[in-house]
Amino acid sequence: MSENLKRAAVTGHPVAHSRSPLIHGYWLKKHGIQGEYGRVDVAPEEAAGFYRDLAAAGLVGVNVTVPHKETAADACDQLDDAAKKMGAANTLWLDDDRRLCGANTDGLGFLGNLDQLAPGWDKQAGTALVLGAGGAARAIVWALLSRQFTKVHIVNRTIEKAQKISDEFGSKTNAQGWDKLGMLLGETDLLVNTTSLGMTGKPPLDIDLDGLPKHALVNDIVYAPMETELLKQAAAKGNPTVDGIGMLLHQAVPGFERWFGVRPDVTEELRTLVLKDLGVIS
Ligand code: NAP
């Protein structure tokens, strides 16, 4: 193996399901880079030591998936703003001084997707309504506040979880239960589903968009199926919509750029490749 060959990998436990090798492999080939991107299953009891000594594994950086995102953040010498706020990192690299740096790029993936598919979507950042209060919701609330949204409602079945996120992010955010949804839709400029509802194999997302203003952008981060019932209903009403696969692809961009020195594009070809591999399209 060449000494100059840069190696990166997705790490977690398990990692067999991850599409990251497909995404990074596509970019490595497209840019003709002599690099490798693999999978490393890291046992929980070895995770802290593994991340602290990334160079010993011959890696220039890694993606981190469940259940190691918090352990990875703790191992870092330096974290970006999002990783600090979330206490979790999904992208690690060594800087020129060999210090371990970490970022959380889920929020950036969300922003990159909307920037690409709905340019200008945040020009008049007003009120956003986020359905769900899991890990993805936390990243998206961070992302929306970074783009100066004036109000972010977080609506969740378990209101305590929405309240916890709201307590962390402050007075521009507001936790509500599903019973308030009808009232909140009327003042919504951006609606984002971050629950797993509507995903293949999960219960449907039961929502009536009648009260949603015509201009409101609707984004579903569920990407299997690609066009969810939420997106279908919104499109039928005439609202602009954006699907969720781009978030998965855009969150990978910062890592590739750090490790291999080229900022890659999220192309239609890549979307199709990953959707086919997921079995979402044939
Ligand atoms: P998570 O932490 O497990 O959160 C799941 C959320 O869904 C919670 O708010 C949960 O509410 C809600 N939920 C689940 N079942 C429900 C039900 N029957 N009724 C009402 N609410 C329900 O998951 P996550 O990591 O945030 O991911 C959420 C979804 O986003 C998944 O489908 C995931 O595949 C997708 N995702 C997509 C991307 C992308 O790149 N496009 C990235 C990350 C995640 P409770 O709190 O009440 O349980």
Side-chain angles (χ1 to χ4, degrees):
M1 193 198 312
S2 153
E3 267 179 34
N4 296 325
L5 186 83
K6 288 183 174 176
R7 291 179 59 233
V10 57
T11 62
H13 185 71
V15 286
H17 65 286
S18 172
R19 262 60 186 198
S20 293
L22 183 65
I23 298 168
H24 290 285
Y26 167 85
W27 284 329
L28 284 170
K29 194 168 165 203
K30 191 166 179 81
H31 292 284
I33 293 171
Q34 290 296 310
E36 274 180 18
Y37 186 100
R39 298 173 205 267
V40 182
D41 194 313
V42 182
E45 61 278 13
E46 287 166 11
F50 175 86
Y51 294 117
R52 280 268 9 121
D53 208 2
L54 209 54
L59 296 161
V60 294
V62 288
N63 282 125
V64 185
T65 185
V66 282
H68 297 328
K69 291 184 186 183
E70 288 78 13
T71 307
D74 289 345
C76 286
D77 299 307
Q78 196 173 314
L79 292 173
D80 78 346
D81 184 44
K84 259 188 226 157
K85 193 77 193 166
M86 279 167 259
N90 68 352
T91 303
L92 306 187
W93 68 96
L94 293 164
D95 71 7
D96 293 343
D97 299 323
R98 314 290 282 171
R99 291 184 325 147
L100 185 64
C101 303
N104 193 312
T105 66
D106 285 337
L108 295 177
F110 165 80
L111 295 174
N113 189 29
L114 295 192
D115 287 345
Q116 185 175 29
L117 297 182
W121 67 280
D122 60 343
K123 275 231 166 71
Q124 285 172 331
T127 299
L129 201 170
V130 175
L131 301 173
R138 180 176 262 104
I140 287 171
V141 170
W142 171 86
L144 292 171
L145 293 176
S146 80
R147 292 289 176 95
Q148 273 70 50
F149 269 75
T150 50
K151 193 87 209 165
V152 180
H153 297 294
I154 308 159
V155 170
N156 198 42
R157 172 179 62 177
T158 313
I159 194 162
E160 293 77 11
K161 280 170 70 181
Q163 190 59 55
K164 189 161 181 289
I165 298 181
S166 177
D167 290 346
E168 278 169 35
F169 285 96
S171 61
K172 287 184 178 167
T173 65
N174 170 37
Q176 297 284 1
W178 282 95
D179 56 323
K180 299 289 189 310
L181 196 55
M183 186 190 82
L184 295 173
L185 279 175
E187 55 175 271
T188 295
D189 301 303
L190 169 70
L191 172 65
V192 187
N193 175 43
T194 79
T195 73
S196 45
L197 297 174
M199 190 175 160
T200 306
K202 301 277 181 191
L205 173 60
D206 187 13
I207 186 170
D208 181 351
L209 296 182
D210 269 358
L212 187 71
K214 267 269 180 317
H215 73 272
L217 176 63
V218 179
N219 171 224
D220 200 333
I221 72 162
V222 166
Y223 50 75
M226 198 170 91
E227 193 184 19
T228 61
E229 289 301 323
L230 173 70
L231 295 181
K232 272 188 198 158
Q233 194 189 145
K237 252 178 63 62
N239 286 75
T241 62
V242 172
D243 65 48
I245 190 67
M247 178 175 166
L248 180 74
L249 306 177
H250 279 279
Q251 65 78 31
V253 168
F256 189 92
E257 185 176 17
R258 290 273 181 200
W259 310 320
F260 301 116
V262 176
R263 189 164 180 86
D265 288 328
V266 172
T267 59
E268 200 49 47
E269 188 182 34
L270 178 61
R271 277 170 64 91
T272 304
L273 184 73
V274 175
L275 286 167
K276 274 191 179 159
D277 193 65
L278 287 162
V280 174
I281 58 172
S282 48

